[in-house]
């Protein structure tokens, strides 16, 4: 039985003045113990967020593959752990696009995170051009082939399917398209890691909101959501946690 996970990604948003949103989101998560919730905040907020909400999971949005060294501007897994992060996103399409990260980088980052006990949310997803050319399935399968870390296990790894064209655009695939891609991902994972793939959570991400969460989260093989814009305030994020909790209670 896979518990639903509602994960927020604050991207390059959030100042100390927004910590009260984290407190409110943590309180909502506490009120809905049927589901898991977490927030991946900017590095500068990790320690403060972990301090004000000690029972709530705080994560980061990227990690370097090395533990230390001459890598100006980067951050390592031990640093994230020391700051209070419990989870990290790797392979987000904005990292791939803005920083030329490849699936090989994603693989190495996931391995580094795991070495230091961080849970990992590994992202995949096709561009609009790839989608329109009918190449989405092949692209996503190849991203998983190249980036799935050694020893991948549902105990610490979650997959997020995020079509790039759906991120921050208000556009989403149809529910059938989401179901098809998640089934393909599940089959791919089964081929790579065997039956434990049945326990691995596969999140959908891309323009998830309070308005569409209930229908998306009810799709087969959708085990939660990775939420950007709608995770920035409790007012927008809590309804998504509530939608997940309702589905969990009905199951
Ligand atoms: P969005 O972003 O919810 O703002 O579309 C999702 C993501 O990039 O994780």
């Amino acid at each position: 039985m896979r518990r639903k996970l509602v994960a927020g990604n604050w991207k390059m948003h959030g100042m100390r003045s927004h910590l009260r949103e984290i407190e409110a989101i943590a309180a909502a998560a506490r009120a809905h113990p049927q589901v898991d919730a977490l927030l991946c905040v900017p590095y500068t907020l990790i320690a403060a967020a972990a301090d004000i909400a000690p029972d709530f999971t705080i994560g980061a949005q990227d990690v370097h593959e090395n533990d230390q060294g001459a890598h100006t501007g980067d951050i390592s897994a031990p640093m994230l752990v020391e700051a209070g992060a419990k989870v990290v996103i790797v392979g987000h399409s904005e990292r791939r696009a803005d920083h030329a990260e490849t699936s090989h980088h994603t693989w190495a980052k996931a391995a580094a995170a795991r070495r230091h006990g961080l849970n990992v949310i590994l992202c995949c997803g096709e561009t609009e051009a790839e989608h329109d050319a009918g190449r989405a399935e092949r692209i996503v399968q190849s991203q998983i082939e190249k980036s799935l870390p050694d020893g991948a296990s549902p105990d610490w790894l979650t997959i997020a399917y995020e079509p790039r064209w759906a991120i921050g655009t208000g556009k989403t695939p149809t529910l059938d398209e989401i179901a098809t891609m998640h089934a393909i991902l599940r089959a791919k994972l089964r081929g790579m890691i065997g039956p434990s793939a049945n326990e691995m959570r596969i999140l959908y991400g891309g323009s998830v909101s309070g308005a569409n969460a209930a229908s998306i989260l009810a799709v087969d093989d959708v085990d939660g959501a990775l939420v950007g814009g709608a995770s920035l305030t409790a007012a927008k994020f809590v309804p998504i946690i509530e939608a997940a909790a309702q589905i969990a209670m009905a199951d």
Side-chain angles (χ1 to χ4, degrees), residues 9 11 92-94 162 166-169 205-208 226-230:
N9 171 12
K11 309 191 178 185
H92 191 280
S93 62
E94 285 152 16
E162 298 203 304
I167 295 179
T169 57
S207 295
V208 174
L226 182 54
V227 185

Side-chain angles (χ1 to χ4, degrees), residues 14-87:
M15 309 292 280
R16 280 181 162 270
S17 58
H18 299 106
L19 287 171
R20 67 177 74 103
E21 297 293 339
I22 297 177
E23 274 184 304
I25 289 167
R30 214 173 293 128
H32 295 94
Q34 312 82 351
V35 296
D36 296 328
L38 61 84
L39 280 179
C40 294
V41 297
Y43 302 133
T44 47
L45 286 185
I46 291 173
D51 270 1
I52 57 152
D55 61 341
F56 182 68
T57 304
I58 295 297
Q61 302 164 18
D62 185 42
V63 63
H64 196 275
E65 64 192 72
N66 294 333
D67 293 355
Q68 57 184 18
H71 302 290
T72 303
D74 279 315
I75 195 146
S76 72
M79 292 169 180
L80 295 179
V81 170
E82 188 176 75
K86 299 278 190 282
V87 57

Side-chain angles (χ1 to χ4, degrees), residues 38-244:
L38 61 84
L39 280 179
C40 294
V41 297
Y43 302 133
T44 47
L45 286 185
I46 291 173
D51 270 1
I52 57 152
D55 61 341
F56 182 68
T57 304
I58 295 297
Q61 302 164 18
D62 185 42
V63 63
H64 196 275
E65 64 192 72
N66 294 333
D67 293 355
Q68 57 184 18
H71 302 290
T72 303
D74 279 315
I75 195 146
S76 72
M79 292 169 180
L80 295 179
V81 170
E82 188 176 75
K86 299 278 190 282
V87 57
V88 63
I89 297 170
V90 296
H92 191 280
S93 62
E94 285 152 16
R95 297 295 312 175
R96 293 177 190 255
D98 296 354
H99 300 272
E101 288 186 9
T102 63
S103 291
H104 181 74
H105 292 126
T106 302
W107 172 83
K109 285 166 184 253
R114 177 58 193 152
R115 274 201 308 280
H116 294 280
L118 287 164
N119 289 341
V120 174
I121 299 175
L122 189 159
C123 301
C124 60
E126 80 284 359
T127 64
E128 184 146 41
E130 289 161 350
H131 179 260
D132 293 349
R135 296 177 57 220
E137 294 175 11
R138 187 62 215 119
I139 293 290
V140 166
Q141 285 178 324
S142 147
Q143 288 171 338
I144 293 295
E145 263 160 40
K146 293 177 184 155
S147 60
L148 199 75
D150 304 348
S153 151
D155 294 344
W156 57 272
L157 184 69
T158 295
I159 305 295
Y161 168 58
E162 298 203 304
R164 282 198 211 180
W165 50 274
I167 295 179
T169 57
K171 291 194 263 181
T172 54
T174 64
L175 298 179
D176 278 353
E177 283 175 319
I178 295 175
T180 301
M181 191 59 92
H182 280 237
I184 285 167
L185 277 166
R186 179 89 51 211
K188 181 80 206 167
L189 291 168
R190 241 184 250 125
M192 292 180 75
I193 63 168
S196 70
N198 296 332
E199 303 305 318
M200 189 167 285
R201 290 191 282 205
I202 306 176
L203 312 183
Y204 167 79
S207 295
V208 174
S209 67
N212 62 21
S215 52
I216 291 175
L217 291 170
V219 171
D220 272 357
D221 277 312
V222 173
D223 306 312
L226 182 54
V227 185
S231 71
L232 292 173
T233 61
K236 288 188 173 164
F237 197 48
V238 172
I240 303 174
I241 297 174
E242 288 169 349

